[in-house]
Amino acid sequence: MELAKPIHDVKGRVLLGAGHRIHPKYIEKLKNLNIKYMIIEDAISQGITLDEMVDMPTWIDAIQCVQLAYETVKNKQTLPFREIQKIAIKLISEVRNRKVVMLAPSTAAAAEVQEHAHCVNVTLIALQMGRFLRYNELQLKDLAFGCLVHDIGKVISETNEVHPLKGFNLIRNVREVNLVCAHIAYQHHEWINGEGHPRKIAGSAILEFAQVCAIANEFEHLISKERISAYTAIEMLMTKAEKVYSHKVIDALFKSVPSYLPGMWVELNTGKEAIVTKIETHIHRPFVRIIESGEEISLEDNSTLIITKELSSVE
């Protein structure tokens, strides 16, 4: 096995470059550094490009930016809005330049920055949805900014009943930031049926941006902390239509976030094992390579073939 992508530390430095053979000694050292995931290539996965993978230095920069925002607020200083705006633009570019975005789980980050990594992943998921919803550039910037700091109120209080209000007040006091960004933080725990927090508003009183952030927030939690497959997570969120989320927002998630990513081992309804190789036009019907024969098949062109089980996550 060889590394398909370089391994970076929390400061963005390359610990091990792509192409290195995986030696047991490396694995032990990486474990000691709290590195939990690596992207590998072996004989079976050969040729899978992983062009969908988010640029890791950009991901790490974004995590550090969110961390800076938290530390600044903790020190009772003004939110570093210019730095957040710059990172928002970089993440928009990440999404724009890829058909879909393959995320590193937030739990892949060091323990002390996992909460910040979560905010970055929520932003990347929300931006994919925003692209599907045809948001313009200004709307995407506001969505990205709001998602990056949607949990900033947790610096003051961890509870769902309090931290949205605290976050709202922190963001709205920065006059250079659109008030919409503050409302994303304020409303991301509200439910469409009025049973959410903190104000129990309902229906059209909830901003669509806040709903996009909310569903991206729950989806990221399911796939990272709960280690639930994207396909199952999407199915679970669909059951919350018109209770927690609007049909429009759930549809945007379904049509913008893929169920299976390149590198995943899966089982087909024929009983054969396969590896997902690429996503072309249909994000839920990728190309797969049959392990036994090496044959590559488009599930979109073979309607009788379906994925019945995910055998492993991306490695």
Side-chain angles (χ1 to χ4, degrees), residues 226-257:
E226 300 296 328
R227 302 295 299 274
I228 292 171
S229 70
Y231 177 82
T232 303
I234 291 171
E235 281 195 330
M236 290 170 67
L237 293 171
M238 281 180 169
T239 67
K240 299 187 176 186
E242 295 308 314
K243 179 182 179 183
V244 181
Y245 309 111
S246 69
H247 280 294
K248 182 180 180 182
V249 166
I250 290 176
D251 187 55
L253 179 74
F254 177 74
K255 291 181 178 175
S256 59
V257 177

Side-chain angles (χ1 to χ4, degrees), residues 68-69 72-73 75-81 83 170 173-176:
L68 171 66
T72 302
V73 168
N75 293 329
K76 302 187 184 306
Q77 297 173 335
T78 305
L79 202 66
F81 70 94
E83 288 81 357
L170 287 167
N173 286 327
V174 184
R175 63 183 181 181
E176 294 88 352

Side-chain angles (χ1 to χ4, degrees), residues 205-305:
I206 304 174
L207 287 177
E208 186 174 281
F209 281 11
Q211 278 264 290
V212 169
C213 178
I215 199 168
N217 179 58
E218 186 170 1
F219 178 76
E220 206 285 328
H221 176 83
L222 290 171
I223 63 173
S224 287
K225 290 191 176 179
E226 300 296 328
R227 302 295 299 274
I228 292 171
S229 70
Y231 177 82
T232 303
I234 291 171
E235 281 195 330
M236 290 170 67
L237 293 171
M238 281 180 169
T239 67
K240 299 187 176 186
E242 295 308 314
K243 179 182 179 183
V244 181
Y245 309 111
S246 69
H247 280 294
K248 182 180 180 182
V249 166
I250 290 176
D251 187 55
L253 179 74
F254 177 74
K255 291 181 178 175
S256 59
V257 177
S259 297
Y260 305 100
L261 291 166
M264 285 185 171
W265 280 58
V266 295
E267 184 177 296
L268 304 178
N269 58 331
T270 58
K272 293 183 177 180
E273 294 183 7
I275 187 170
V276 178
T277 57
K278 60 183 176 180
I279 298 169
E280 288 289 336
T281 55
H282 196 305
I283 64 170
H284 300 294
R285 302 284 291 169
F287 279 73
V288 298
R289 183 184 299 152
I290 307 300
I291 302 298
E292 186 179 55
S293 64
E295 180 186 7
E296 192 152 325
I297 298 170
S298 165
L299 296 186
E300 185 177 5
D301 296 335
N302 291 269
S303 57
T304 59
L305 286 179

Side-chain angles (χ1 to χ4, degrees), residues 166-211:
K166 298 298 182 181
F168 172 73
N169 287 330
L170 287 167
I171 301 165
R172 73 169 179 166
N173 286 327
V174 184
R175 63 183 181 181
E176 294 88 352
V177 177
N178 192 331
L179 192 59
V180 166
C181 302
H183 278 287
I184 291 173
Y186 201 9
Q187 299 179 10
H188 75 277
H189 281 300
E190 300 287 1
W191 290 14
I192 206 77
N193 68 356
E195 294 180 9
H197 301 287
R199 292 183 293 162
K200 298 190 180 298
I201 55 177
S204 60
I206 304 174
L207 287 177
E208 186 174 281
F209 281 11
Q211 278 264 290

Side-chain angles (χ1 to χ4, degrees), residues 57-128:
T58 298
W59 189 66
I60 292 167
D61 285 348
I63 292 170
Q64 291 175 339
C65 180
V66 176
Q67 184 180 26
L68 171 66
Y70 274 57
E71 290 173 352
T72 302
V73 168
K74 195 175 293 183
N75 293 329
K76 302 187 184 306
Q77 297 173 335
T78 305
L79 202 66
F81 70 94
R82 287 191 180 88
E83 288 81 357
I84 299 169
Q85 286 173 336
K86 288 177 184 177
I87 284 296
I89 291 169
K90 289 179 74 172
L91 295 181
I92 291 168
S93 179
E94 279 291 302
V95 171
R96 184 184 290 116
N97 292 334
R98 289 169 171 77
K99 190 173 297 180
V100 295
V101 177
M102 182 173 163
L103 301 175
S106 58
T107 48
E112 64 270 20
V113 295
Q114 284 182 11
E115 184 176 351
H116 313 129
H118 164 75
C119 293
V120 174
N121 280 359
V122 167
T123 304
L124 288 164
I125 295 163
L127 285 172
Q128 290 180 84

Side-chain angles (χ1 to χ4, degrees), residues 92 127 130-131 135-145:
I92 291 168
L127 285 172
R131 180 172 60 180
Y135 290 166
N136 61 36
E137 191 74 9
L138 288 176
Q139 289 173 316
L140 289 174
K141 287 178 182 177
D142 285 340
L143 177 65
F145 192 108

